[in-house]
Structure formats: structure tokens, C-alpha cells
């Protein structure tokens, strides 16, 4: 797909049919991929996994609350094959279910099958999404007080001032630079640094794709990250800091990258510049599906980010198939669920005991 010359007829046709493409691809993958059941073996049988995923994807697509989406689901009940629309509390319950994280990762994995042979260059980054929760913290404020007995003499008194700030959750993604689809995603709390999830993303991508290049900003800069990419026969392109040296210290990939940056900067920039595409992906996700999450529990917030990624990939795969003339149906004929590594996960905060 060329970015310099655009066929506006094809572009307009793909954009105007985005909702129809989204529904058709969602139903295609849900009717093809065998998903694990949500039944725990007690009580009455729950709604099918297919119906729950459809409702949650629609909820994120319309950027609305659990109550408001019920009306839209009733309008599209026949089109989606829903015999009965679940209660909004049922949707809220399944959004915080940890099994839903695995299901979303499996669906994301099978969505990548049509582009498995196209992507060899990958770019990673992270962005934050706002929540409705606020956390409290204390800041030390120095206040000057004048004594009554000494008119000119002042003393400083330290006070603790309680403040509030909005919490946020973080979405770590890796995209393919050719199709600009998200090839793996990890959702965490906002304080998790990008580099902590890099090893997980490399292992996920290596199960499906062959890695030739990996791009990242200074947040991923480390010798360990260079070794992880080099182990998969790829070349790392991480933007160095001002105090970075070319000493290998056990990482020859780091040394080669630093020498390339210092002696052939234009060549380095030519490859590294593709990293800007991941910023475009974040912009599209936030514009299409919102830059906040509605769930109040942290489990629901992290799963909500993964549903945003799934919705984005459904829309993006339809555009890629339209531009590149890819027959998507042929890639979903033989789907095996055994020994599958999901391409997305969430990292819950650890709770302290005692």
C-alpha cells in the first residue's frame, strides 16, 4: 500500500463500508474459529462465547455504556444471529472475566493469518487511556508562618496536602509496518514501563512471524532488548540516548546498532522512521473507539483495551484485504485451537497480603 499516491475511489469505498466490513469479518471469524466455552459446570448454561464477544465488540465500537448498547444490539439482532440480547450486567460481568482475555488473544491470533507472510518489520510503543477513577496522594507543602512575639522572624512549617489525580491504564502494542495491524498487545496499569513488556511481545510475535527488523524509541533501549531481537535473527533499531556508548558488554547487537547510528545516521533514520506508524495506529484507535475506558474494575479496563485492539484489527484487515485483493475466506478454512499462543494478554497489578 503506497502512502504517496492514493486511489481515492478505493479509499472512499473502503471507508464508507467500514461498518459492513466490521460485521462481516467479526461473524466470519467467530463462526470459523472454535472458541472455549464459558460454562463452569454449575447452574444454567450461559450465553455462547460467540454472542458475548459480539456484544462486547459492539459496545466498544459504539463508544457507549453497557446500558446504551442494548438498544443497538436489539436493532441488529437478526443480522448478528442473536436469539436474545444479554442483560447489561451480564456484559459487565464477562468483561471482567479473566477467560475473556484468553479468548480475545485467540481471536487476534487468527486475524493475523492473512498477513503472516507480509510482515517482517515491527514497531513497538505504548499509550495511556483515561479512566473514571482517581487516586489520592500527598505532597509536602512548605508554609511560612509569622510568630506573634517576633514580628519580623518567620518559621517554616511542613504540611501534608492531599491531592487527587486521574488513574490511567496503558496499552503496549507491536504493529506490522506494512499493513499497520496490531500483531500483539499487552494491557497494564499506567505505571508499567514499556520495557517490562518487551520480552513478552517478542515471544508472541516470533510464534507467527519471521522477524527482520524491530523499531522502538528510547523507552526500549537496552542491551537485553537488542539481544532478544538478535536471538530471533532480527536487527534492532532503538533510538539511543545522549550518554549511550558502543560498548557491547555481552551484546554484539547493541554494539552494531550504536556503530550504525554514529557512522551511518541517514541509513539508521531511514529504517527508524517507520516507527512513526505506530503513533498513527494509536491515533486511529483513540479516534474510532475512544481514549477512555468505561469499566470501573481494573480487570474490565484491561480487557476493554484488548477489545479496542480487536475492533481496530477487524476494521483494518478489511481495508488491507480490499487494497491488496486478499481472499480472507481461504485463510480461515483450517483453524486449529490446540497449542495456540494468544497474541494479547493483560498484566494485573499484584496485591499485597498481610
Amino acid at each position: 500500500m503506497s502512502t504517496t499516491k492514493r486511489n481515492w475511489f478505493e479509499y472512499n469505498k473502503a471507508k464508507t463500508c467500514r461498518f459492513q466490513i466490521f460485521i462481516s469479518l467479526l461473524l466470519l471469524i467467530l463462526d470459523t474459529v472454535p472458541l472455549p466455552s464459558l460454562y463452569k459446570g454449575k447452574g444454567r448454561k450461559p450465553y455462547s462465547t460467540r454472542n458475548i464477544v459480539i456484544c462486547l465488540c459492539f459496545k466498544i465500537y459504539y463508544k457507549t455504556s453497557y446500558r446504551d448498547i442494548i438498544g443497538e444490539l436489539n436493532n441488529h439482532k437478526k443480522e448478528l444471529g442473536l436469539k436474545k440480547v444479554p442483560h447489561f450486567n451480564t456484559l459487565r460481568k464477562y468483561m471482567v472475566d479473566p477467560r475473556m482475555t484468553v479468548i480475545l488473544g485467540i481471536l487476534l491470533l487468527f486475524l493475523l493469518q492473512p498477513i503472516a507472510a507480509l510482515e517482517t518489520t515491527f514497531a513497538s510503543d505504548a499509550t495511556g487511556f483515561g479512566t473514571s477513577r482517581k487516586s489520592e496522594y500527598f505532597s509536602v507543602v512548605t508554609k511560612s508562618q509569622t510568630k506573634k512575639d517576633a514580628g519580623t522572624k518567620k518559621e517554616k512549617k511542613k504540611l501534608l496536602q492531599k491531592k487527587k489525580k486521574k488513574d490511567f491504564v496503558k496499552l503496549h502494542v507491536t504493529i506490522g509496518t506494512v499493513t499497520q495491524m496490531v500483531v500483539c498487545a499487552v494491557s497494564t496499569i499506567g505505571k508499567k514501563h514499556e520495557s517490562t513488556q518487551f520480552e513478552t511481545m517478542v515471544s508472541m510475535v516470533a510464534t507467527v512471524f519471521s522477524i527482520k527488523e524491530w523499531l522502538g524509541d528510547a523507552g526500549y533501549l537496552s542491551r537485553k532488548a537488542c539481544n532478544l531481537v538478535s536471538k530471533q535473527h532480527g536487527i534492532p533499531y532503538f533510538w539511543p540516548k545522549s550518554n549511550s556508548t558502543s560498548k557491547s558488554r555481552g551484546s554484539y547487537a547493541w554494539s552494531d546498532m550504536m556503530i550504525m547510528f554514529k557512522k551511518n545516521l541517514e541509513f539508521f533514520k531511514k529504517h527508524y522512521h517507520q516507527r512513526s506508524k505506530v503513533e498513527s495506529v494509536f491515533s486511529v484507535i483513540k479516534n474510532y473507539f475512544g481514549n477512555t475506558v468505561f469499566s470501573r474494575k481494573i480487570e474490565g479496563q484491561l480487557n476493554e483495551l484488548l477489545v479496542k485492539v480487536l475492533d481496530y484489527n477487524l476494521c483494518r484487515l478489511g481495508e488491507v484485504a480490499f487494497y491488496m485483493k486478499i481472499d480472507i475466506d481461504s485463510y480461515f478454512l483450517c483453524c486449529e485451537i490446540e497449542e495456540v499462543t494468544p497474541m494479547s494478554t493483560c498484566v494485573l497489578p499484584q496485591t499485597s497480603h498481610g
Side-chain angles (χ1 to χ4, degrees):
M1 292 182 298
S2 176
T3 57
T4 56
K5 294 182 180 180
R6 172 173 287 174
N7 188 328
W8 285 104
F9 175 77
E10 292 186 349
Y11 177 81
N12 293 332
K13 188 175 181 181
K15 289 298 183 181
T16 53
C17 300
R18 182 167 68 95
F19 182 70
Q20 288 76 13
I21 293 174
F22 168 77
I23 293 180
S24 60
L25 279 179
L26 178 61
L27 296 180
L28 174 63
I29 191 171
L30 289 177
D31 294 336
T32 306
V33 179
L35 295 175
S37 175
L38 296 173
Y39 183 53
K40 296 181 179 180
K42 295 181 180 180
R44 59 182 179 181
K45 289 187 177 181
Y47 290 92
S48 65
T49 307
R50 172 190 180 275
N51 294 348
I52 295 297
V53 172
I54 289 175
C55 296
L56 294 181
C57 288
F58 257 65
K59 187 250 183 223
I60 299 300
Y61 188 91
Y62 279 96
K63 296 187 294 186
T64 185
S65 63
Y66 292 99
R67 290 180 174 88
D68 294 337
I69 196 59
I70 300 301
E72 292 295 333
L73 290 173
N74 285 321
N75 293 336
H76 298 278
K77 184 190 292 187
K78 293 183 179 180
E79 187 178 1
L80 299 175
L82 298 175
K83 295 182 179 179
K84 182 180 178 182
V85 176
H87 193 268
F88 58 85
N89 281 332
T90 302
L91 298 181
R92 185 182 286 110
K93 180 187 70 174
Y94 280 112
M95 184 65 87
V96 301
D97 196 327
R99 296 173 297 174
M100 192 57 60
T101 306
V102 180
I103 293 173
L104 295 173
I106 294 173
L107 292 175
L108 182 60
L109 170 65
F110 284 102
L111 272 179
L112 300 176
Q113 288 187 2
I115 66 167
L118 300 176
E119 298 290 358
T120 57
T121 304
F122 305 94
S124 299
D125 205 354
T127 187
F129 288 79
T131 67
S132 59
R133 294 286 183 143
K134 291 184 179 180
S135 59
E136 295 181 351
Y137 69 99
F138 293 91
S139 62
V140 178
V141 179
T142 303
K143 185 178 180 181
S144 299
Q145 290 183 339
T146 304
K147 289 186 176 181
K148 295 182 179 180
D149 54 350
T152 58
K153 191 176 180 180
K154 296 181 180 180
E155 69 172 359
K156 293 182 179 180
K157 185 178 181 181
K158 292 184 178 180
L159 302 175
L160 288 178
Q161 186 176 5
K162 183 187 292 187
K163 295 183 179 180
K164 290 184 178 182
K165 62 179 180 180
K166 274 197 172 184
D167 292 336
F168 67 100
V169 287
K170 212 167 188 178
L171 178 63
H172 309 253
V173 303
T174 298
I175 69 162
T177 57
V178 176
T179 61
Q180 297 184 29
M181 287 184 61
V182 177
V183 296
C184 75
V186 181
S187 57
T188 65
I189 59 174
K191 296 180 181 180
K192 284 282 185 179
H193 195 263
E194 292 91 333
S195 59
T196 59
Q197 310 305 320
F198 186 71
E199 185 175 359
T200 302
M201 291 193 293
V202 172
S203 61
M204 286 181 180
V205 174
T207 58
V208 180
F209 302 91
S210 59
I211 302 172
K212 290 186 178 180
E213 297 178 5
W214 202 296
L215 320 172
D217 57 11
Y220 296 95
L221 182 66
S222 68
R223 290 172 174 82
K224 180 181 179 181
C226 292
N227 289 337
L228 289 172
V229 177
S230 178
K231 189 177 180 180
Q232 302 297 334
H233 310 287
I235 302 175
Y237 289 91
F238 302 124
W239 192 261
K241 298 179 182 179
S242 59
N243 59 348
S244 300
T245 64
S246 58
K247 294 181 180 180
S248 63
R249 295 177 183 172
S251 175
Y252 294 104
W254 168 278
S255 179
D256 294 340
M257 183 186 69
M258 292 302 302
I259 292 173
M260 184 194 308
F261 177 78
K262 293 180 178 180
K263 294 186 176 180
N264 199 346
L265 183 59
E266 293 300 324
F267 179 82
F268 187 94
K269 286 183 177 180
K270 183 179 179 180
H271 289 261
Y272 178 79
H273 180 64
Q274 297 185 78
R275 195 204 67 84
S276 61
K277 294 180 179 179
V278 71
E279 304 291 350
S280 301
V281 172
F282 286 145
S283 177
V284 173
I285 292 177
K286 291 184 177 182
N287 288 334
Y288 280 2
F289 312 113
N291 56 1
T292 58
V293 290
F294 287 89
S295 300
R296 299 182 66 85
K297 292 185 177 180
I298 183 62
E299 296 87 353
Q301 295 171 359
L302 299 183
N303 278 339
E304 201 168 322
L305 294 182
L306 300 183
V307 181
K308 289 179 186 286
V309 172
L310 180 62
D311 284 3
Y312 167 78
N313 271 8
L314 287 168
C315 297
R316 186 60 187 168
L317 181 59
E319 296 178 7
V320 171
F322 183 80
Y323 294 141
M324 295 186 173
K325 313 301 180 186
I326 299 176
D327 184 14
I328 298 180
D329 296 343
S330 61
Y331 288 93
F332 297 140
L333 293 178
C334 300
C335 296
E336 297 293 337
I337 201 67
E338 298 178 358
E339 298 182 1
V340 167
T341 302
M343 297 300 288
S344 66
T345 184
C346 63
V347 179
L348 295 172
Q350 296 181 355
T351 57
S352 58
H353 300 279

